[in-house]
Amino acid sequence: MSFTEADSKAINTIRVLAADTVFKSNSGHPGAPMGCAPMAHLLFSRYMNYNPKNPKWANRDRFVLSNGHACALQYILLHLTGYPTSIEDLKQFRQLNSKTPGHPESHITTGIEVTTGPLGQGFANSVGLAIAEAHMAATFNKPGFELFNNHTFVITGDGCLQEGIASEAASLAGHLKLGKLIALYDDNHISIDGDTEVSFTEDVPKRFEAYGWHVIVVKDGNHDLEAIAHAIEEAKKVTDKPSLIKIYTTIGFGSLNQGTEKVHGSPLKADDIVQLKKAFGFNPEEHFVVPKATYDLYHAKAEKGAKLNHDWDALLEKYTGAHPELAAQLKRRLAKKLPEGWAKELPRYTPADKASATRKLSEAVLNKIADHLPELIIGSADLTGSNLTRWKTAVDFQPNDSGIGNYAGRYVRYGVREHGMCGVMNGIDAYGGLIPAGATFLNFISYASGAVRLSALSGQRVIYIMTHDSIGLGEDGPTHQPIETMAMIRATPNLIDFRPADGNETSGAYLYAIETKDRPSVLALTRQDLPQLEGSSIEKTLKGGYVLQEVQGADVTLVATGSEVSLIVDAAKLLKEHGIKARVVSMPSTKLFDEQSHDYRASVLIDGIPSVSVEAMSTFGWDRYAHESIGIDTFGASGPYKDVYKHFGLVPDVVAGKVQKIVAFYKKEGSVPSLVRKYFH
């Protein structure tokens, strides 16, 4: 492959734009974009298929900038290739309400595939994107109709490859033989603390070879375009392994401080930018300048992508004639529409139905809906038999030659990789056409909170099926018993919390989690059996909180979630024997309750009587819904779960006794503050 002065000019344009962009904002990382410029240029000018006029073209190549320290690079590439990121947007880099925030956010900037920044997250996302491509290809491609064959390219760095999530995801990718995944490792030997010799001296290629990756090394990533190009071409030919291309680069190439941490996290000095521009043939008096030849080079590649997109659209129409049912399904899924009537499959229950753990009720839901929702792709972090997430007709997602599944399978064995699983699911959702769900014990969502947080920030429909949700798991003890976990989930913006109390609420939680298009949901499910409640329903669950049992002339409102709802039902019966009338409120989702009208919330948390919350977890946060809270503000304890509940006083008679004292206290006080008014004003 031949290269010209136009390639050199384009690469240096990226470098000077990176310097200008970070200098203008007085914040950011100029060094990595300057060092990565050659590899990024080759991807966007020679190898990637994309169409800025249709950023959501289903078969576009995916690009992930996992290296959060190169964030300006992605905006520069979007501008050069014709996406709606202007020079003015580059000038607004890291400014309030700009289209170019401090790190790439997929819901803000057109052309950004996934939200990255926290190191390693983008790497895991890229594995999810590659899983999605393999599955969509296996599901929809037919002879003569190769609808899905895109590659996923990720630029990663020393920092990303030190993060545990990247190791988890890389191990999984190697096992799954994701041949359409190509990672370009920007090895510049610099981190914020200085040379990586202070903390990161392992042999990365050997590690990735052990994971099952194809590894290529490019010794001169600053100048040797031929070597980088050859490596990319070689990687594309390897179809049974993901590829890692280790490219030695110089951070801040061209700066007076190149090769040091000084160009890592701070803008270049003004005099440094002057000499940089002179060295690269730019006018130092001009800023944010792009030569016409550079625009022409990238726009020509974008036009080729537009032509490929046009051809793909035509192929899809021919496919529609040859495979009408599959085509209709594909178009529906890409539009994020659900099959008509799917929700009718959700199980409904009455008090006559047997008691069951909500994890078992979740299993019943999945067995009912999985075959009606082919977009569901579900998995577990090595806890399938405990999470109960594998439905009866499920086929494992495995390499086609594995003998234990195939790429058309929809059940993913994530292994003991909770953080990796959640980062991968973000990538699966970002690909389009799929709804990922993944499971582990609720306590271990803490392992994965970095990825879960990005699900919420990005507005991604990811379903977290979290079982063994409380001290009710019993003998495994406090290391496994979530106490503070639901408080963290509830405190995370845009992350929907569900702790269902019975079968109807479990079905309702799935209804919401699947029908929402821009929110992740956490379903916290019990290990122990719970009764089916009188007064519960799928529809009421969608309100977040509702009156399960009303009573005239009530003295107190009892509020609970999950396994403690049946507890307060029993406590209310005991209170009645002592002349105290108790209303019972189930609160399966505080987030959804918060979003209801003022009048509705006031009808649930009525004025004039005390409200008491009961939950086998931390009482933190319950002051928004209750005057007094009964819960656990220490770690849990090991033992049979009924003994543990009794140990913490979470049994009907003890709860009823505490509520009696609370009611007496407020009657003596003579007034009860309005919760809804206090809470919302």
Side-chain angles (χ1 to χ4, degrees):
M1 179 173 290
S2 60
F3 297 97
T4 68
E5 179 59 29
D7 293 290
S8 297
K9 188 57 123 179
I11 291 167
N12 290 333
T13 298
I14 293 172
R15 287 168 170 154
V16 297
L17 281 177
D20 279 346
T21 299
V22 176
F23 184 82
K24 177 71 167 58
S25 72
N26 196 31
S27 175
H29 308 272
M34 294 166 70
C36 288
M39 69 180 83
H41 164 72
L42 287 179
L43 286 178
F44 279 81
S45 67
R46 303 290 178 111
Y47 292 106
M48 283 182 52
N49 296 323
Y50 55 90
N51 181 13
K53 296 176 183 177
N54 181 19
K56 294 298 183 181
W57 169 33
N59 197 42
R60 68 193 180 278
D61 286 331
R62 274 36 172 208
F63 174 72
V64 177
L65 188 66
S66 180
N67 185 352
H69 296 141
C71 46
L73 175 64
Q74 193 149 16
Y75 301 133
I76 292 166
L77 292 168
L78 291 176
H79 171 70
L80 293 175
T81 51
Y83 286 87
T85 298
S86 67
I87 285 291
E88 287 305 311
D89 292 324
L90 295 182
K91 291 178 180 178
Q92 291 297 310
F93 177 54
R94 295 196 162 200
Q95 302 307 301
L96 185 64
N97 296 325
S98 75
K99 291 196 297 184
T100 49
H103 292 93
E105 298 182 39
S106 57
H107 58 293
I108 290 178
T109 311
T110 300
I112 301 293
E113 300 288 355
V114 290
T115 299
T116 60
L119 296 177
Q121 294 291 340
F123 192 99
N125 300 162
S126 70
V127 175
L129 289 164
I131 287 173
E133 184 280 331
H135 176 74
M136 295 292 276
T139 302
F140 292 105
N141 288 2
K142 298 297 177 184
F145 296 98
E146 195 172 7
L147 291 176
F148 293 96
N149 60 8
N150 69 276
H151 284 81
T152 297
F153 296 95
V154 54
I155 290 182
T156 190
D158 293 303
C160 293
L161 297 185
Q162 292 174 60
E163 290 286 358
I165 186 173
S167 297
E168 293 179 22
S171 173
L172 180 63
H175 164 74
L176 293 174
K177 300 183 178 180
L178 300 174
K180 295 286 182 63
L181 174 61
I182 299 174
L184 289 80
Y185 168 25
D186 170 32
D187 185 6
N188 60 36
H189 271 270
I190 293 294
S191 64
I192 290 175
D193 274 2
D195 194 296
T196 53
E197 68 180 5
V198 302
S199 62
F200 188 55
T201 54
E202 68 192 45
D203 191 327
V204 172
K206 285 184 179 178
R207 171 155 67 100
F208 273 73
E209 286 173 351
Y211 289 151
W213 286 57
H214 175 67
V215 177
I216 311 163
V217 177
V218 175
K219 294 184 178 179
D220 182 4
N222 300 322
H223 306 96
D224 197 345
L225 299 184
E226 289 281 359
I228 300 172
H230 177 77
I232 295 171
E233 290 168 2
E234 179 184 331
K236 292 183 74 172
K237 291 175 183 176
V238 177
T239 59
D240 61 346
K241 292 181 179 182
S243 290
L244 178 77
I245 306 173
K246 176 175 177 175
I247 306 174
Y248 288 101
T249 66
T250 301
I251 191 170
F253 183 85
S255 165
L256 296 173
N257 292 312
Q258 69 176 31
T260 73
E261 71 276 11
K262 294 179 181 178
V263 292
H264 189 294
S266 301
L268 271 60
K269 303 298 184 185
D271 61 340
D272 196 359
I273 296 177
V274 168
Q275 71 82 28
L276 179 80
K277 289 181 177 179
K278 287 180 179 178
F280 289 153
F282 288 80
N283 184 345
E285 301 300 320
E286 296 178 340
H287 309 285
F288 294 95
V289 171
V290 178
K292 181 178 182 301
T294 297
Y295 279 131
D296 290 346
L297 189 155
Y298 289 114
H299 291 174
K301 179 59 176 171
E303 284 302 316
K304 289 180 181 178
K307 173 65 166 57
L308 290 171
N309 189 167
H310 179 270
D311 294 344
W312 189 89
D313 290 342
L315 182 67
L316 179 59
E317 287 312 302
K318 291 180 181 178
Y319 182 85
T320 301
H323 305 282
E325 291 185 4
L326 276 176
Q329 182 193 143
L330 174 59
K331 292 175 182 179
R332 173 186 66 75
R333 287 166 58 171
L334 292 177
K336 279 196 166 184
K337 294 180 180 178
L338 297 168
E340 290 289 332
W342 79 271
K344 294 177 183 177
E345 301 298 323
L346 290 166
R348 292 176 181 266
Y349 299 86
T350 71
D353 292 312
K354 69 175 184 178
S356 183
T358 51
R359 64 172 176 151
K360 284 289 293 181
L361 297 164
S362 165
E363 181 184 38
V365 169
L366 296 179
N367 272 304
K368 284 286 189 179
I369 68 173
D371 291 335
H372 295 273
L373 290 171
E375 51 264 66
L376 277 178
I377 182 165
I378 303 172
S380 169
D382 199 51
L383 287 169
T384 297
S386 296
N387 300 143
L388 304 178
T389 39
R390 195 175 191 273
W391 63 103
K392 292 176 182 177
T393 59
V395 174
D396 279 10
F397 178 87
Q398 297 282 359
N400 293 330
D401 62 359
S402 66
I404 53 174
N406 55 62
Y407 285 145
R410 294 191 288 131
Y411 193 77
V412 184
R413 305 283 185 167
Y414 285 105
V416 189
R417 304 181 181 100
E418 294 89 355
H419 200 183
M421 173 179 73
C422 296
V424 165
M425 288 196 295
N426 286 340
I428 292 174
D429 176 74
Y431 189 88
L434 292 165
I435 301 174
T440 185
F441 290 174
L442 177 60
N443 198 54
F444 300 146
I445 199 173
S446 301
Y447 274 140
S449 60
V452 175
R453 187 176 186 274
L454 288 184
S455 298
L457 175 63
S458 305
Q460 293 183 295
R461 178 168 51 182
V462 177
I463 303 172
Y464 298 99
I465 303 170
M466 302 287 116
T467 69
H468 296 62
D469 73 335
S470 73
I471 58 170
L473 63 84
E475 290 86 349
D476 276 340
T479 60
H480 284 50
Q481 294 165 348
I483 298 296
E484 76 290 353
T485 312
M486 285 304 296
M488 177 188 74
I489 290 166
R490 291 166 180 155
T492 304
N494 203 44
L495 180 61
I496 305 304
D497 59 303
F498 283 106
R499 192 166 182 250
D502 70 352
N504 289 328
E505 289 191 1
T506 302
S507 291
Y510 272 105
L511 176 62
Y512 182 89
I514 290 169
E515 286 197 333
T516 189
K517 295 180 181 180
D518 55 5
R519 287 174 146 182
S521 300
V522 177
L523 279 62
L525 307 171
T526 67
R527 178 178 185 260
Q528 75 271 32
D529 288 345
L530 303 178
Q532 310 298 340
L533 299 168
E534 181 75 48
S536 71
S537 76
I538 291 175
E539 292 72 23
K540 290 176 183 177
T541 304
L542 303 183
K543 295 285 190 180
Y546 62 95
V547 180
L548 184 72
Q549 294 181 5
E550 188 59 275
V551 61
Q552 296 300 313
D555 299 298
V556 66
T557 298
L558 303 181
V559 186
T561 75
S563 48
E564 287 69 70
V565 177
S566 55
L567 189 161
I568 63 172
V569 168
D570 291 341
K573 294 174 184 176
L574 295 177
L575 288 167
K576 185 178 180 180
E577 295 174 3
H578 291 85
I580 295 175
K581 298 178 180 180
R583 304 168 72 243
V584 174
V585 168
S586 179
M587 187 81 76
S589 174
T590 60
K591 284 273 177 59
L592 294 187
F593 182 71
D594 291 350
E595 295 174 359
Q596 306 309 309
S597 70
H598 179 277
D599 288 347
Y600 177 79
R601 295 189 303 267
S603 75
V604 175
L605 302 176
I606 62 174
D607 284 347
I609 60 174
S611 173
V612 181
S613 69
V614 181
E615 189 174 46
M617 295 179 179
S618 170
T619 60
F620 184 84
W622 275 105
D623 58 338
R624 301 180 73 178
Y625 315 100
H627 299 92
E628 306 293 337
S629 295
I630 299 170
I632 305 173
D633 290 316
T634 66
F635 288 109
S638 179
Y641 85 90
K642 290 182 179 179
D643 293 346
V644 178
Y645 264 86
K646 187 174 182 179
H647 171 75
F648 285 105
L650 290 167
V651 288
D653 59 330
V654 176
V655 168
K658 291 180 178 179
V659 172
Q660 280 183 274
K661 294 178 181 178
I662 291 168
V663 171
F665 171 81
Y666 279 98
K667 282 185 176 179
K668 184 178 179 182
E669 287 289 303
S671 65
V672 182
S674 170
L675 274 175
V676 174
R677 189 172 297 115
K678 165 191 167 188
Y679 169 15
F680 290 98
H681 299 285

